[in-house]
Amino acid sequence: MNKEYNTTVLAYLGDAVYELYIRKMLILREANVGADSLHRKATRYVSASGQSESVKKLMKEFLKEDEVKLVKRARNHKTSSHPRGADPVEYKLATGFEALIGDLYIRDEIERLIEIVDMAVKIIDGEEI
């Protein structure tokens, strides 16, 4: 599939894919915890600040050139939506991260998607990559 999708659409898809991955990870880590607790724990991973923190580091140290270009293209895309309680710069970077996840998912590059999400989780958890 060589089609170039709108970055807003890719971010829309990437948001869902990333959140599903995070939910699965937390359930596997903490099987007998209630949904409310899981939701609170997921927030640090799916928040604009968590995503922007991880994508900044990934752009410097881990992402391929074409992946960085996509993140920047999505980050710079003009949008009519406004961040709720998030710093606008963090929100735009998080949108770039989500667009990358959506792009990898739609192109069935699941192995690379999992590598990137695993690295993002490690960054958010404060681990070295």
Side-chain angles (χ1 to χ4, degrees), residues 5-101:
Y5 292 91
N6 177 305
T7 56
T8 305
V9 172
L10 292 173
Y12 171 75
L13 177 60
D15 176 56
V17 170
Y18 180 67
E19 183 150 355
L20 182 62
Y21 177 91
I22 295 301
R23 288 180 182 202
K24 178 182 176 183
M25 175 197 74
L26 290 172
I27 289 168
L28 292 173
R29 277 186 188 175
E30 306 178 37
N32 294 321
V33 175
D36 286 346
S37 178
L38 290 169
H39 177 72
R40 283 190 298 280
K41 290 174 190 245
T43 302
R44 68 188 278 232
Y45 298 100
V46 299
S47 68
S49 62
Q51 290 176 1
S52 68
E53 172 192 351
S54 61
V55 79
K56 279 191 278 188
K57 191 159 192 170
L58 289 168
M59 287 170 68
K60 290 179 188 171
E61 301 178 22
F62 189 73
L63 296 183
K64 299 172 184 172
E65 185 178 334
D66 61 320
E67 294 168 342
V68 171
K69 284 181 183 176
L70 176 63
V71 170
K72 288 180 177 181
R73 185 165 60 94
R75 176 196 67 192
N76 294 335
H77 183 80
K78 294 207 185 283
T79 179
S80 60
S81 64
H82 300 279
R84 291 181 307 227
D87 175 88
V89 174
E90 288 180 342
Y91 184 80
K92 287 184 157 285
L93 275 169
T95 300
F97 175 75
E98 291 171 346
L100 174 60
I101 299 303

